[in-house]
Amino acid sequence: MIHKALLAAVLLAAGYYDTAAGWDTVTIHVTNKLSTRRILILHCKSDDDDLGGSAIGAGANITLVFGQNVFGGTLFWCSAAYQDKRLSFKAYEQNDHNTFVKVFDVSDDGVGGIDVYSGNLLHISRWRIISHLNF
């Protein structure tokens, strides 16, 4: 029995935890609201987890779901790009007062969002024009 408890503690410490077993999960929704009807490229990751890149069609959205680190410190950043423009934004930080659902809209102005539970508006990032895209 002690060995199982020790193994569970090691797996938790390493970030291997089962979100279905009751750990709080985080849901991020990102919608492409570009007026140019262009495909939006989105790539989100943390220091430990890379959620990969996605191509989001005009008017479409994507939902990202991930678990938090049981010891705290979960932080996810997203990069977005279309044509010759790029931006990045903090999608989630575990110290955000237990906010588990965030909604972001990507438009011609940049990205803005809302914390669904508190109703607080989230930081807006503006587009930058770049000569090449590196994710």
Side-chain angles (χ1 to χ4, degrees):
M1 183 69 170
I2 293 174
H3 295 288
K4 287 183 181 178
L6 181 59
L7 177 60
V10 169
L11 291 175
L12 285 171
Y16 296 103
Y17 44 84
D18 183 4
T19 56
W23 295 106
D24 293 319
T25 58
V26 177
T27 304
I28 305 285
H29 302 279
V30 180
T31 301
N32 177 354
K33 292 193 173 182
L34 295 169
S35 67
T36 58
R37 309 287 298 164
R38 300 284 184 175
I39 292 175
L40 175 71
I41 305 299
L42 182 75
H43 185 200
C44 298
K45 65 181 184 173
S46 71
D47 282 342
D48 299 323
D49 297 309
D50 189 334
L51 301 179
S54 300
I56 306 170
N61 63 44
I62 188 169
T63 300
L64 307 169
V65 179
F66 52 88
Q68 298 185 82
N69 185 320
V70 69
F71 298 112
T74 301
L75 175 64
F76 273 87
W77 282 87
C78 294
S79 295
Y82 83 100
Q83 292 179 325
D84 63 346
K85 296 177 176 71
R86 181 176 178 180
L87 60 76
S88 62
F89 61 98
K90 180 175 72 171
Y92 178 78
E93 185 170 8
Q94 192 164 352
N95 300 330
D96 287 348
H97 308 293
N98 295 325
T99 298
F100 300 116
V101 178
K102 293 189 177 185
V103 176
F104 294 96
D105 290 335
V106 180
S107 68
D108 297 339
D109 293 328
V111 63
I114 190 166
D115 174 328
V116 172
Y117 292 119
S118 71
N120 293 333
L121 295 177
L122 304 173
H123 174 72
I124 295 177
S125 293
R126 303 278 180 209
W127 292 107
R128 295 177 315 194
I129 296 176
I130 55 174
S131 60
H132 62 282
L133 297 178
N134 289 327
F135 276 99

Coordinates of all heavy atoms in Angstrom, one line a residue, residues 17-101:
Y17 N -1.1 13.5 -13.9 CA -2.3 13.3 -13.0 C -3.5 13.1 -13.9 O -3.5 13.6 -15.1 CB -2.5 14.6 -12.1 CG -2.3 15.9 -12.8 CD1 -3.3 16.5 -13.5 CD2 -1.0 16.5 -12.8 CE1 -3.1 17.6 -14.2 CE2 -0.8 17.7 -13.5 CZ -1.9 18.3 -14.2 OH -1.7 19.4 -14.8
D18 N -4.5 12.5 -13.4 CA -5.7 12.2 -14.1 C -6.7 13.2 -13.8 O -7.3 13.3 -12.7 CB -6.2 10.8 -13.6 CG -7.4 10.4 -14.4 OD1 -7.9 11.1 -15.3 OD2 -8.0 9.3 -14.1
T19 N -7.0 14.1 -14.8 CA -8.0 15.2 -14.6 C -9.4 14.6 -14.4 O -10.2 15.3 -13.8 CB -8.0 16.1 -15.8 OG1 -8.3 15.4 -17.0 CG2 -6.7 16.8 -15.9
A20 N -9.7 13.4 -14.9 CA -11.0 12.8 -14.7 C -11.2 12.4 -13.2 O -12.3 12.1 -12.8 CB -11.2 11.6 -15.6
A21 N -10.1 12.3 -12.5 CA -10.2 11.8 -11.1 C -10.5 12.9 -10.1 O -10.4 12.7 -8.9 CB -8.9 11.1 -10.7
G22 N -10.8 14.1 -10.6 CA -11.2 15.1 -9.7 C -10.4 16.4 -9.7 O -10.7 17.3 -9.0
W23 N -9.2 16.3 -10.3 CA -8.4 17.5 -10.4 C -9.1 18.6 -11.2 O -9.8 18.3 -12.2 CB -7.0 17.3 -11.0 CG -6.2 16.3 -10.1 CD1 -6.0 15.0 -10.3 CD2 -5.6 16.6 -8.8 NE1 -5.2 14.5 -9.3 CE2 -5.0 15.5 -8.4 CE3 -5.6 17.8 -8.1 CZ2 -4.3 15.4 -7.2 CZ3 -4.9 17.7 -6.9 CH2 -4.3 16.5 -6.4
D24 N -9.0 19.8 -10.9 CA -9.6 20.9 -11.6 C -9.0 21.0 -13.0 O -7.8 21.0 -13.2 CB -9.4 22.2 -10.9 CG -10.2 22.2 -9.6 OD1 -11.3 21.7 -9.6 OD2 -9.7 22.7 -8.6
T25 N -9.9 21.1 -14.0 CA -9.4 21.3 -15.4 C -9.7 22.7 -15.8 O -10.5 23.4 -15.3 CB -10.1 20.3 -16.4 OG1 -11.5 20.5 -16.3 CG2 -9.8 18.9 -16.0
V26 N -9.0 23.1 -16.8 CA -9.1 24.5 -17.4 C -9.6 24.3 -18.8 O -9.1 23.5 -19.6 CB -7.7 25.2 -17.3 CG1 -7.8 26.6 -18.0 CG2 -7.2 25.3 -15.9
T27 N -10.5 25.2 -19.2 CA -11.0 25.2 -20.6 C -10.8 26.6 -21.2 O -11.2 27.6 -20.6 CB -12.5 24.9 -20.6 OG1 -12.7 23.6 -20.0 CG2 -13.0 24.8 -22.0
I28 N -10.2 26.6 -22.3 CA -9.9 27.8 -23.1 C -10.6 27.7 -24.4 O -10.4 26.7 -25.1 CB -8.4 28.0 -23.3 CG1 -7.6 27.9 -22.0 CG2 -8.1 29.3 -24.1 CD1 -7.7 29.1 -21.2
H29 N -11.4 28.7 -24.7 CA -12.1 28.8 -26.0 C -11.5 30.0 -26.8 O -11.3 31.1 -26.3 CB -13.6 29.1 -25.9 CG -14.3 28.1 -25.1 ND1 -14.7 26.9 -25.6 CD2 -14.7 28.1 -23.8 CE1 -15.3 26.2 -24.6 NE2 -15.3 26.9 -23.5
V30 N -11.1 29.7 -28.1 CA -10.5 30.7 -28.9 C -11.3 30.8 -30.2 O -11.5 29.7 -30.9 CB -9.0 30.5 -29.3 CG1 -8.5 31.6 -30.2 CG2 -8.2 30.4 -28.0
T31 N -11.8 31.9 -30.6 CA -12.6 32.1 -31.8 C -11.9 33.0 -32.8 O -11.4 34.1 -32.5 CB -14.0 32.7 -31.5 OG1 -14.7 31.8 -30.5 CG2 -14.9 32.8 -32.7
N32 N -11.9 32.6 -34.1 CA -11.4 33.4 -35.2 C -12.4 34.4 -35.6 O -13.4 34.0 -36.3 CB -10.9 32.5 -36.3 CG -10.4 33.3 -37.5 OD1 -10.5 34.5 -37.6 ND2 -9.9 32.5 -38.5
K33 N -12.3 35.6 -35.3 CA -13.2 36.7 -35.7 C -12.5 37.7 -36.7 O -12.9 38.9 -36.7 CB -13.8 37.4 -34.5 CG -14.7 36.5 -33.7 CD -15.5 37.3 -32.7 CE -16.5 36.3 -32.1 NZ -17.4 37.1 -31.1
L34 N -11.6 37.2 -37.4 CA -10.9 38.1 -38.4 C -11.9 38.5 -39.5 O -12.5 37.6 -40.1 CB -9.7 37.4 -39.0 CG -8.5 37.1 -38.0 CD1 -7.5 36.2 -38.7 CD2 -7.9 38.4 -37.6
S35 N -12.0 39.8 -39.8 CA -12.9 40.2 -40.8 C -12.4 39.8 -42.2 O -13.2 39.8 -43.2 CB -13.1 41.7 -40.8 OG -11.9 42.4 -41.1
T36 N -11.1 39.5 -42.4 CA -10.6 39.2 -43.7 C -11.0 37.8 -44.1 O -10.6 37.3 -45.2 CB -9.1 39.3 -43.7 OG1 -8.5 38.5 -42.6 CG2 -8.6 40.7 -43.4
R37 N -11.6 37.0 -43.2 CA -12.0 35.6 -43.5 C -10.8 34.7 -43.8 O -10.8 33.8 -44.6 CB -13.0 35.5 -44.7 CG -14.2 36.5 -44.6 CD -15.2 36.1 -43.6 NE -15.8 34.8 -43.9 CZ -16.5 34.0 -43.0 NH1 -16.7 34.5 -41.8 NH2 -17.0 32.9 -43.4
R38 N -9.7 35.0 -43.0 CA -8.5 34.3 -43.2 C -8.4 33.1 -42.1 O -9.1 33.2 -41.1 CB -7.3 35.2 -43.0 CG -7.2 36.3 -43.9 CD -6.7 35.8 -45.2 NE -6.5 36.9 -46.2 CZ -6.0 36.8 -47.3 NH1 -5.6 35.6 -47.8 NH2 -5.9 37.8 -48.1
I39 N -7.6 32.2 -42.4 CA -7.3 31.1 -41.5 C -6.4 31.6 -40.4 O -5.4 32.3 -40.7 CB -6.8 29.9 -42.2 CG1 -7.8 29.2 -43.1 CG2 -6.2 28.8 -41.1 CD1 -7.3 28.1 -43.9
L40 N -6.7 31.3 -39.2 CA -5.9 31.8 -38.0 C -5.0 30.5 -37.6 O -5.6 29.5 -37.4 CB -6.8 32.2 -36.9 CG -6.1 32.6 -35.6 CD1 -5.3 33.9 -35.7 CD2 -7.1 32.7 -34.5
I41 N -3.7 30.7 -37.4 CA -2.9 29.7 -36.9 C -2.7 30.0 -35.4 O -2.3 31.1 -35.0 CB -1.5 29.7 -37.6 CG1 -1.7 29.6 -39.1 CG2 -0.6 28.6 -37.0 CD1 -2.4 28.3 -39.6
L42 N -3.0 29.0 -34.6 CA -2.9 29.1 -33.1 C -2.0 28.0 -32.6 O -2.1 26.8 -32.9 CB -4.2 29.0 -32.5 CG -4.3 29.2 -31.0 CD1 -4.1 30.7 -30.6 CD2 -5.6 28.7 -30.4
H43 N -1.1 28.3 -31.6 CA -0.2 27.4 -31.0 C -0.1 27.7 -29.5 O 0.3 28.8 -29.2 CB 1.2 27.4 -31.7 CG 2.1 26.4 -31.1 ND1 3.5 26.5 -31.3 CD2 1.9 25.2 -30.5 CE1 4.0 25.4 -30.7 NE2 3.1 24.6 -30.2
C44 N -0.5 26.8 -28.7 CA -0.5 27.0 -27.2 C 0.4 26.0 -26.5 O 0.4 24.8 -26.9 CB -1.9 27.0 -26.7 SG -3.0 28.2 -27.4
K45 N 1.1 26.5 -25.5 CA 2.0 25.6 -24.7 C 2.3 26.2 -23.4 O 2.2 27.4 -23.1 CB 3.2 25.3 -25.5 CG 4.1 26.5 -25.8 CD 5.3 26.0 -26.6 CE 6.3 27.2 -26.7 NZ 7.5 26.8 -27.4
S46 N 2.8 25.3 -22.5 CA 3.4 25.7 -21.2 C 4.8 25.2 -21.2 O 5.3 24.7 -22.2 CB 2.6 25.0 -20.1 OG 2.8 23.6 -20.0
D47 N 5.5 25.3 -20.1 CA 6.8 24.8 -20.0 C 6.9 23.3 -20.1 O 7.8 22.7 -20.6 CB 7.5 25.2 -18.7 CG 8.0 26.7 -18.7 OD1 8.1 27.3 -19.8 OD2 8.2 27.2 -17.6
D48 N 5.8 22.6 -19.7 CA 5.8 21.2 -19.7 C 4.9 20.6 -20.8 O 5.2 19.4 -21.1 CB 5.2 20.7 -18.3 CG 6.0 21.2 -17.1 OD1 7.3 21.2 -17.3 OD2 5.4 21.5 -16.1
D49 N 3.9 21.2 -21.2 CA 3.0 20.7 -22.2 C 2.8 21.5 -23.4 O 2.7 22.7 -23.3 CB 1.6 20.5 -21.6 CG 1.6 19.5 -20.4 OD1 2.1 18.4 -20.6 OD2 1.1 19.9 -19.3
D50 N 2.9 20.9 -24.6 CA 2.7 21.6 -25.9 C 1.4 21.1 -26.4 O 1.2 19.9 -26.8 CB 3.9 21.3 -26.8 CG 3.8 22.2 -28.1 OD1 2.7 22.6 -28.5 OD2 4.9 22.4 -28.7
L51 N 0.4 22.0 -26.5 CA -0.9 21.6 -27.0 C -1.0 21.5 -28.5 O -2.0 21.2 -29.1 CB -2.0 22.5 -26.5 CG -2.1 22.6 -24.9 CD1 -3.2 23.5 -24.5 CD2 -2.4 21.2 -24.3
G52 N 0.1 21.9 -29.2 CA 0.2 21.8 -30.6 C -0.4 23.0 -31.3 O -1.0 23.9 -30.7
G53 N -0.2 23.0 -32.6 CA -0.7 24.1 -33.5 C -2.1 23.7 -34.1 O -2.3 22.5 -34.3
S54 N -2.9 24.7 -34.4 CA -4.2 24.4 -35.0 C -4.4 25.5 -36.0 O -4.1 26.7 -35.8 CB -5.3 24.5 -34.0 OG -5.1 23.5 -33.0
A55 N -5.1 25.1 -37.1 CA -5.6 26.1 -38.1 C -7.1 26.3 -37.9 O -7.8 25.3 -37.9 CB -5.3 25.6 -39.5
I56 N -7.5 27.5 -37.6 CA -8.9 27.8 -37.2 C -9.5 28.6 -38.4 O -9.0 29.7 -38.7 CB -9.0 28.6 -35.9 CG1 -8.2 27.9 -34.8 CG2 -10.4 28.8 -35.5 CD1 -8.1 28.7 -33.5
G57 N -10.5 28.0 -39.0 CA -11.1 28.7 -40.1 C -11.9 29.9 -39.7 O -12.2 30.2 -38.5
A58 N -12.3 30.7 -40.7 CA -13.0 32.0 -40.4 C -14.3 31.7 -39.7 O -15.1 30.8 -40.1 CB -13.3 32.7 -41.7
G59 N -14.5 32.4 -38.6 CA -15.7 32.2 -37.8 C -15.7 31.0 -36.9 O -16.6 30.8 -36.1
A60 N -14.7 30.1 -37.0 CA -14.7 28.9 -36.2 C -14.0 29.1 -34.9 O -13.4 30.2 -34.7 CB -14.0 27.8 -37.0
N61 N -14.1 28.1 -34.0 CA -13.4 28.2 -32.7 C -12.8 26.9 -32.4 O -13.0 25.9 -33.0 CB -14.3 28.7 -31.6 CG -15.5 27.7 -31.4 OD1 -15.3 26.5 -31.3 ND2 -16.7 28.2 -31.2
I62 N -11.9 26.9 -31.4 CA -11.2 25.7 -30.9 C -11.3 25.8 -29.4 O -11.4 26.8 -28.8 CB -9.8 25.7 -31.3 CG1 -9.1 24.4 -31.0 CG2 -9.0 26.9 -30.8 CD1 -7.8 24.1 -31.6
T63 N -11.5 24.6 -28.8 CA -11.5 24.5 -27.3 C -10.3 23.7 -26.9 O -10.0 22.6 -27.4 CB -12.8 23.8 -26.9 OG1 -13.9 24.6 -27.3 CG2 -12.9 23.6 -25.4
L64 N -9.6 24.2 -25.9 CA -8.4 23.6 -25.4 C -8.7 23.2 -23.9 O -9.2 24.1 -23.2 CB -7.2 24.5 -25.4 CG -6.8 25.0 -26.8 CD1 -5.8 26.1 -26.7 CD2 -6.4 23.9 -27.7
V65 N -8.5 22.0 -23.5 CA -8.7 21.6 -22.1 C -7.5 20.9 -21.6 O -6.9 20.1 -22.2 CB -9.9 20.5 -22.1 CG1 -10.2 20.1 -20.7 CG2 -11.2 21.1 -22.7
F66 N -7.1 21.3 -20.4 CA -5.9 20.8 -19.8 C -6.0 20.8 -18.3 O -6.9 21.5 -17.7 CB -4.6 21.5 -20.2 CG -4.7 23.0 -20.0 CD1 -4.3 23.6 -18.8 CD2 -5.2 23.8 -21.1 CE1 -4.4 25.0 -18.7 CE2 -5.2 25.2 -20.9 CZ -4.8 25.8 -19.7
G67 N -5.2 20.0 -17.6 CA -5.2 20.0 -16.1 C -4.2 20.9 -15.5 O -3.3 21.3 -16.2
Q68 N -4.4 21.3 -14.3 CA -3.5 22.1 -13.6 C -2.5 21.2 -12.8 O -2.7 20.1 -12.5 CB -4.2 23.0 -12.5 CG -5.2 23.9 -13.1 CD -5.8 24.8 -12.1 OE1 -5.2 25.7 -11.7 NE2 -7.0 24.4 -11.5
N69 N -1.3 21.8 -12.6 CA -0.3 21.2 -11.8 C -0.8 21.2 -10.3 O -1.2 22.2 -9.8 CB 1.0 21.9 -11.9 CG 2.1 21.2 -11.2 OD1 2.0 20.7 -10.1 ND2 3.3 21.2 -11.8
V70 N -0.8 20.1 -9.7 CA -1.3 20.0 -8.3 C -0.5 20.8 -7.3 O -1.1 21.3 -6.3 CB -1.3 18.5 -7.8 CG1 0.1 18.0 -7.6 CG2 -2.1 18.3 -6.6
F71 N 0.7 21.2 -7.7 CA 1.6 22.0 -6.8 C 1.5 23.5 -7.2 O 2.3 24.3 -6.6 CB 3.0 21.5 -6.8 CG 3.1 20.1 -6.2 CD1 3.4 19.0 -7.0 CD2 2.8 19.8 -4.9 CE1 3.5 17.7 -6.5 CE2 2.9 18.6 -4.4 CZ 3.2 17.5 -5.2
G72 N 0.7 23.8 -8.2 CA 0.6 25.2 -8.7 C 1.6 25.5 -9.8 O 2.5 24.7 -10.1
G73 N 1.5 26.7 -10.3 CA 2.4 27.2 -11.3 C 2.1 27.0 -12.7 O 2.9 27.3 -13.6
T74 N 0.9 26.4 -13.0 CA 0.5 26.2 -14.4 C 0.4 27.5 -15.2 O -0.3 28.4 -14.7 CB -0.8 25.4 -14.5 OG1 -0.6 24.1 -13.8 CG2 -1.2 25.1 -16.0
L75 N 1.1 27.6 -16.3 CA 1.0 28.8 -17.1 C 1.0 28.4 -18.6 O 1.9 27.7 -19.0 CB 2.3 29.7 -16.8 CG 2.5 30.9 -17.7 CD1 1.4 31.9 -17.4 CD2 3.8 31.6 -17.3
F76 N 0.0 28.9 -19.3 CA 0.0 28.6 -20.8 C 0.0 29.9 -21.5 O -0.7 30.9 -21.2 CB -1.3 27.8 -21.1 CG -1.2 26.3 -21.0 CD1 -1.4 25.7 -19.8 CD2 -0.8 25.6 -22.1 CE1 -1.3 24.4 -19.6 CE2 -0.7 24.2 -21.9 CZ -0.9 23.6 -20.7
W77 N 0.8 29.9 -22.6 CA 0.9 31.0 -23.5 C 0.4 30.5 -24.9 O 0.6 29.4 -25.2 CB 2.3 31.5 -23.7 CG 2.7 32.4 -22.5 CD1 3.2 32.0 -21.3 CD2 2.6 33.8 -22.4 NE1 3.5 33.0 -20.5 CE2 3.1 34.2 -21.2 CE3 2.1 34.8 -23.3 CZ2 3.1 35.5 -20.7 CZ3 2.1 36.1 -22.9 CH2 2.6 36.5 -21.6
C78 N -0.2 31.4 -25.7 CA -0.6 31.1 -27.0 C 0.0 32.1 -28.0 O 0.1 33.3 -27.7 CB -2.1 31.1 -27.2 SG -3.0 29.8 -26.3
S79 N 0.4 31.6 -29.2 CA 0.8 32.5 -30.3 C -0.2 32.3 -31.4 O -0.7 31.2 -31.6 CB 2.2 32.0 -30.8 OG 3.2 32.2 -29.8
A80 N -0.5 33.4 -32.0 CA -1.5 33.4 -33.1 C -0.8 34.1 -34.3 O -0.1 35.1 -34.1 CB -2.8 34.1 -32.7
A81 N -1.2 33.7 -35.5 CA -0.7 34.3 -36.7 C -1.7 34.2 -37.9 O -2.4 33.2 -37.9 CB 0.7 33.7 -37.1
Y82 N -1.6 35.2 -38.7 CA -2.3 35.1 -40.0 C -1.6 36.1 -41.0 O -1.0 37.1 -40.5 CB -3.8 35.4 -39.9 CG -4.2 36.8 -39.9 CD1 -4.7 37.5 -41.1 CD2 -4.1 37.6 -38.8 CE1 -5.0 38.8 -41.1 CE2 -4.5 38.9 -38.7 CZ -4.9 39.5 -39.9 OH -5.3 40.8 -39.9
Q83 N -1.5 35.8 -42.2 CA -0.8 36.6 -43.2 C 0.6 36.9 -42.6 O 1.4 36.0 -42.3 CB -1.6 37.8 -43.6 CG -2.8 37.5 -44.4 CD -3.6 38.8 -44.7 OE1 -3.6 39.7 -43.9 NE2 -4.2 38.8 -45.9
D84 N 0.9 38.2 -42.5 CA 2.3 38.6 -42.0 C 2.2 39.2 -40.6 O 3.0 39.9 -40.2 CB 2.9 39.6 -43.0 CG 2.1 40.9 -43.0 OD1 0.9 40.9 -42.6 OD2 2.6 41.9 -43.5
K85 N 1.1 38.8 -39.9 CA 0.9 39.3 -38.5 C 1.0 38.2 -37.5 O 0.7 37.0 -37.7 CB -0.4 40.0 -38.4 CG -0.5 41.2 -39.3 CD -1.9 41.8 -39.3 CE -2.0 43.0 -40.1 NZ -2.0 42.8 -41.5
R86 N 1.5 38.6 -36.3 CA 1.7 37.6 -35.2 C 1.4 38.3 -33.9 O 1.7 39.5 -33.7 CB 3.1 37.0 -35.2 CG 3.3 36.0 -34.2 CD 4.6 35.4 -34.3 NE 4.8 34.4 -33.2 CZ 5.9 33.7 -33.0 NH1 6.9 33.8 -33.8 NH2 5.9 32.9 -32.0
L87 N 0.9 37.6 -32.9 CA 0.8 38.1 -31.5 C 0.9 36.9 -30.6 O 0.8 35.7 -31.0 CB -0.5 38.8 -31.3 CG -1.8 38.1 -31.6 CD1 -2.2 37.2 -30.4 CD2 -2.9 39.2 -31.7
S88 N 1.1 37.2 -29.3 CA 1.1 36.2 -28.3 C 0.4 36.7 -27.1 O 0.3 37.9 -26.9 CB 2.5 35.7 -27.9 OG 3.3 36.8 -27.4
F89 N -0.2 35.8 -26.3 CA -0.9 36.2 -25.1 C -0.9 35.1 -24.1 O -0.8 33.9 -24.4 CB -2.4 36.6 -25.5 CG -3.2 35.5 -26.1 CD1 -4.1 34.7 -25.3 CD2 -3.1 35.2 -27.4 CE1 -4.8 33.7 -25.8 CE2 -3.9 34.2 -28.0 CZ -4.8 33.4 -27.2
K90 N -1.0 35.5 -22.8 CA -1.1 34.6 -21.7 C -2.5 34.1 -21.7 O -3.5 34.8 -21.4 CB -0.8 35.3 -20.4 CG -0.8 34.3 -19.2 CD -0.3 35.0 -17.9 CE -1.4 36.0 -17.4 NZ -1.1 36.5 -16.1
A91 N -2.7 32.8 -21.9 CA -4.0 32.2 -22.0 C -4.5 31.8 -20.6 O -5.7 31.8 -20.3 CB -4.0 31.0 -22.9
Y92 N -3.5 31.4 -19.7 CA -3.9 30.9 -18.4 C -2.7 30.9 -17.4 O -1.7 30.5 -17.8 CB -4.5 29.5 -18.4 CG -4.9 29.0 -17.1 CD1 -6.0 29.4 -16.5 CD2 -4.0 28.1 -16.4 CE1 -6.4 29.0 -15.2 CE2 -4.3 27.7 -15.1 CZ -5.5 28.1 -14.5 OH -5.8 27.7 -13.2
E93 N -3.0 31.4 -16.2 CA -2.0 31.3 -15.2 C -2.7 30.8 -13.9 O -3.8 31.3 -13.6 CB -1.3 32.6 -14.9 CG -0.3 32.5 -13.8 CD 0.6 33.8 -13.7 OE1 0.2 34.8 -14.3 OE2 1.6 33.7 -13.0
Q94 N -2.2 29.7 -13.3 CA -2.9 29.1 -12.2 C -3.3 30.0 -11.1 O -4.2 29.8 -10.4 CB -2.1 27.9 -11.7 CG -2.9 27.0 -10.8 CD -2.2 25.6 -10.7 OE1 -1.3 25.3 -11.3 NE2 -2.8 24.8 -9.8
N95 N -2.6 31.1 -10.9 CA -2.8 32.0 -9.8 C -3.9 33.0 -10.1 O -4.1 33.9 -9.4 CB -1.6 32.7 -9.4 CG -0.5 31.7 -9.0 OD1 -0.8 30.7 -8.5 ND2 0.8 32.1 -9.3
D96 N -4.7 32.7 -11.2 CA -5.8 33.6 -11.6 C -7.1 33.4 -10.8 O -8.2 33.4 -11.3 CB -6.1 33.5 -13.1 CG -5.0 34.0 -14.0 OD1 -4.2 34.8 -13.5 OD2 -5.1 33.8 -15.2
H97 N -6.9 33.2 -9.5 CA -8.1 33.1 -8.6 C -9.0 32.0 -9.0 O -10.3 32.2 -9.1 CB -8.8 34.4 -8.5 CG -7.9 35.6 -8.1 ND1 -7.2 35.7 -6.9 CD2 -7.4 36.6 -8.9 CE1 -6.5 36.7 -6.9 NE2 -6.6 37.3 -8.1
N98 N -8.5 30.8 -9.4 CA -9.3 29.6 -9.7 C -10.3 29.9 -10.8 O -11.4 29.4 -10.8 CB -10.0 29.1 -8.4 CG -9.1 28.6 -7.4 OD1 -8.0 28.1 -7.7 ND2 -9.4 28.9 -6.1
T99 N -9.8 30.6 -11.8 CA -10.6 30.7 -13.1 C -10.4 29.5 -14.0 O -9.2 29.3 -14.3 CB -10.2 32.0 -13.8 OG1 -10.4 33.1 -12.9 CG2 -10.9 32.2 -15.1
F100 N -11.4 28.8 -14.3 CA -11.3 27.6 -15.1 C -11.8 27.7 -16.5 O -11.7 26.7 -17.2 CB -11.9 26.4 -14.3 CG -11.3 26.2 -13.0 CD1 -12.0 26.4 -11.8 CD2 -9.9 25.9 -12.8 CE1 -11.4 26.2 -10.6 CE2 -9.3 25.7 -11.6 CZ -10.1 25.9 -10.5
V101 N -12.5 28.8 -16.8 CA -13.0 28.9 -18.2 C -12.7 30.3 -18.7 O -13.0 31.3 -18.0 CB -14.5 28.7 -18.3 CG1 -15.0 28.9 -19.7 CG2 -14.9 27.3 -17.8

